[in-house]
Amino acid sequence: VSFREAVVAQFQHPRGPLGRVAGWVMATRPSNRERNRWTVDLLELSPGQRVVEIGCGPGVALGHCLAQVEGGLVVGLDQSAAMIATAARRHGAALAEGRLILVHGNARAVGQLDGGFDRIFAVNVVQFIADRKALFALIRDRLKPGGRVAMTYQPRNRNPTRADAVRMAEQIAADMAAAGLVDARTAELPLKPVPAVCVMAARDALA
Ligand SMILES: C[S@@+](CC[C@H](N)C(=O)[O-])C[C@H]1O[C@@H](n2cnc3c(N)ncnc32)[C@H](O)[C@@H]1O
């Protein structure tokens, strides 16, 4: 395992001291913060809504959601115990008040959450999902009528290009459609060195 591979692995599953460094990078790097803010804006949240973030990491986007769904519920799910602990420290008050629930587990655990949700989203997690279509089917099942999903991705490979982002967006949209989600559309955020894309789709066609 090269040093680069060891570092990249910490962004897929942060563990131990290196994992905490990765979490710190996620929470402080300006492009990462901007991507999270932008994604939550695209969700068009309103008070009372119920939202899930898959792969919440240190919990930057959870904070934006909590500020926008007063009286609702925010659920953060992550396979990394270190990231769940970091998010819990960041949002201790919301957690104590029951406005935030943190779940330590694989993305598939979204299928076991109680009740329906208005929005389910992820930021730079979709590239780690082996069977995207299966996950999107679980997500669709947890969405309330009128609910929406959003998946944001910014290429992190070596020498990434805009074409890498566009290709991934097309694959995500196709997998969403295959899982029964409708009206997929892609937004693009101009970031350096490559744009981020967010693919959004709905549970039901607009009447
Ligand atoms: C690159 S970090 C992004 C974190 C956060 N969304 C952000 O933008 O700052 C990816 C996160 O997704 C989590 N993750 C990756 N694959 C996952 C999976 N299959 N199930 C649950 N969590 C996953 C990792 O533990 C990590 O915290």
Side-chain angles (χ1 to χ4, degrees):
V1 184
S2 71
F3 178 71
R4 185 186 161 82
E5 285 165 344
V7 170
V8 168
Q10 291 302 332
F11 286 85
Q12 174 163 10
H13 194 151
R15 291 178 171 98
L18 261 190
R20 284 195 290 279
V21 174
W24 180 82
V25 171
M26 290 174 211
T28 53
R29 191 187 219 169
S31 64
N32 196 50
R33 295 185 63 87
E34 196 179 339
R35 209 165 49 229
N36 275 283
R37 168 93 251 170
W38 174 70
T39 303
V40 176
D41 285 348
L42 287 172
L43 296 176
E44 300 180 312
L45 296 172
S46 36
Q49 286 190 324
R50 291 162 51 92
V51 189
V52 181
E53 180 178 15
I54 297 174
C56 59
V60 172
L62 295 177
H64 299 313
C65 293
L66 285 164
Q68 292 181 32
V69 300
E70 198 184 328
L73 178 70
V74 178
V75 179
L77 168 61
D78 203 292
Q79 68 182 2
S80 159
M83 289 303 99
I84 289 292
T86 301
R89 276 195 300 276
R90 181 181 300 261
H91 301 300
L95 204 54
E97 291 159 11
R99 298 187 289 123
L100 172 68
I101 294 175
L102 292 172
V103 180
H104 176 210
N106 186 272
R108 286 187 301 275
V110 72
Q112 277 127 49
L113 297 176
D114 285 334
F117 293 89
D118 300 284
R119 302 284 186 269
I120 301 179
F121 74 103
V123 181
N124 267 18
V125 177
V126 74
Q127 70 271 29
F128 301 126
I129 304 296
D131 190 346
R132 283 193 298 261
K133 185 182 152 194
L135 180 64
F136 293 151
L138 291 176
I139 288 174
R140 184 175 187 279
D141 183 62
R142 293 328 308 150
L143 284 173
K144 296 204 269 191
R148 288 188 234 160
V149 59
M151 292 285 138
T152 292
Y153 171 68
Q154 187 182 19
R156 280 270 170 253
N157 49 312
R158 215 187 287 245
N159 304 319
T161 64
R162 177 173 179 272
D164 295 327
V166 170
R167 197 175 317 117
M168 178 61 119
E170 287 167 1
Q171 288 170 7
I172 294 169
D175 290 335
M176 286 177 171
L181 292 156
V182 299
D183 289 338
R185 61 197 172 88
T186 300
E188 190 173 316
L189 176 69
L191 284 178
K192 296 288 176 201
V194 269
V197 288
C198 178
V199 185
M200 289 161 284
R203 177 181 177 278
D204 317 283
L206 291 176

